[in-house]
Amino acid sequence: QVTSDVLVYSTSLNYKPVPTGNPVVVRSSPATVPIECHYPRRSNVSSNGVRPTWVPFHSTLSSKEKLPFSLHLMNDDWSTERDSTTFQLGEVLHFQARVNAENHVPLRLFVDSCVATPTPDRSSSPQYTFIDFSGCLVDGQLDDATSTFISPRPRQDVLQFAVDVFKFAGDSSNLIYITCHLKVSLADQAPDPLNKACSFSKTSNLWTPLEGTQDVCSCCKMRSC
């Protein structure tokens, strides 16, 4: 198309996935990506090939994929992932939760709950929930614990928290499996009772939010959020 000012080349990239494996299910969607290149009619034009820096279909595909969450045990200074998963009573577990939000709008990560069990089955017994009620670090209320969320966050998509090492009474295996539920909200969304990170301060005897107003933690005291 030629206008008074520009020359426009238009085309479309069409992606039509072919079902593989089980024909009953599909794992990708067809897509059409329109592309337009605009060249000024009155200007110097280079003969070098066009090298687009944005890959439309890749970006579209990535935005439809599930968010990759991760949870790691870190060393004491939070610089690297801890090599060993063996601890002694009296030590501290340093957890770092993260979400890769590279192809999404800015997100803020929260830990909804964490439960410890003697087997990988999170419904097994006995069990101990040390983060509960949509982000209340209830372990910090115990007299022999200093568990807390680490302030400030390294980034909005990262959340760090420290929990004093514990074991199940009478369990000779000394194995503990930890399962956490991670979630995100928009980074510009104010924390609320369902999206928060609250630690208990023994000095003030109050629940304190990592960010947001004090009232977002009030339901931690009520143990119902």
Side-chain angles (χ1 to χ4, degrees), residues 49-211:
V50 178
R51 299 181 180 274
T53 57
W54 178 59
V55 187
F57 178 68
H58 176 72
S59 299
T60 302
L61 181 64
S62 296
S63 68
K64 294 173 67 174
E65 292 174 345
K66 291 183 178 179
L67 287 169
F69 291 90
S70 64
L71 181 68
H72 295 291
L73 283 169
M74 307 297 289
N75 61 15
D76 290 350
D77 63 3
W78 303 97
S79 61
T80 58
E81 188 175 350
R82 182 183 167 102
D83 294 329
S84 172
T85 56
T86 301
F87 293 86
Q88 301 293 325
L89 293 178
E91 293 185 298
V92 176
L93 301 165
H94 295 88
F95 291 98
Q96 179 168 285
R98 184 175 182 270
V99 60
N100 184 351
E102 179 181 353
N103 294 304
H104 294 262
V105 295
L107 299 173
R108 181 183 291 138
L109 176 70
F110 294 100
V111 178
D112 224 25
S113 63
C114 282
V115 61
T117 53
T119 72
D121 180 6
R122 68 163 297 164
S123 62
S124 61
S125 184
Q127 60 178 248
Y128 175 57
T129 302
F130 55 91
I131 296 180
D132 205 355
F133 314 117
S134 300
C136 306
L137 214 171
V138 294
D139 186 66
Q141 289 183 288
L142 301 181
D143 292 337
D144 57 353
T146 60
S147 305
T148 185
F149 286 107
I150 305 301
S151 178
R153 293 176 184 257
R155 299 192 310 273
Q156 290 298 305
D157 56 3
V158 174
L159 182 60
Q160 298 172 332
F161 54 101
V163 177
D164 296 271
V165 171
F166 57 88
K167 60 170 288 187
F168 288 110
D171 181 14
S172 59
S173 71
N174 291 333
L175 281 174
I176 291 179
Y177 294 86
I178 291 173
T179 306
C180 294
H181 178 213
L182 313 181
K183 68 178 181 182
V184 291
S185 70
L186 295 174
D188 59 2
Q189 174 184 323
D192 57 49
L194 295 179
N195 300 280
K196 64 185 184 301
C198 295
S199 303
F200 185 75
S201 170
K202 291 189 179 69
T203 55
S204 62
N205 200 36
L206 293 173
W207 286 96
T208 304
L210 190 62
E211 54 257 317

